[in-house]
Amino acid sequence: MIACPSPKCSSPNVADLPHYWQSLPAESPLKAKYAPPARPKVSYWAALLAVAVGILVLAEGAILLGLLIAAGGAGWVAVVYKAVRWAEAQRAAWEQSHVCLACTGTF
């Protein structure tokens, strides 16, 4: 049995946060408070296009400029990938969370 970890509460009246959030009516002010983390709106296309343009510029002879553009595009891909992984981890943590129905704390 799961109980609230708060020493002031310790109530056994606990629910899974995702299930509780879904059961709330749309007009409830708690709907926003307990909402899941937003999914990032990312696109790899622009970053991959920058890498391709860098390789194209590199092939045409502008070595330094081509390397700079390709490295910038690769760095952009890495930043976007890290942001997506962080957002997925936040969402996974939210999906495993609980809410105490007595003190409204989450854990």
Side-chain angles (χ1 to χ4, degrees):
M1 181 165 89
I2 300 174
C4 181
S6 172
K8 295 178 182 176
C9 180
S10 300
S11 172
N13 196 7
V14 173
D16 289 330
L17 184 57
H19 182 326
Y20 178 70
W21 178 76
Q22 288 177 343
S23 69
L24 290 171
E27 60 276 354
S28 173
L30 295 176
K31 195 77 169 178
K33 178 181 178 180
Y34 295 124
R39 295 187 188 270
K41 294 177 180 149
V42 297
S43 175
Y44 289 102
W45 289 111
L48 293 175
L49 182 64
V51 171
V53 167
I55 292 171
L56 204 79
V57 169
L58 185 66
E60 293 198 9
I63 294 172
L64 186 58
L65 182 60
L67 286 174
L68 185 63
I69 294 171
W76 191 355
V77 168
V79 167
V80 169
Y81 177 76
K82 191 171 186 175
V84 168
R85 297 289 295 167
W86 182 81
E88 288 174 354
Q90 293 295 325
R91 189 149 184 105
W94 179 84
E95 289 173 356
Q96 299 297 318
S97 295
H98 297 88
V99 61
C100 176
L101 301 177
C103 71
T104 68
T106 57
F107 57 96

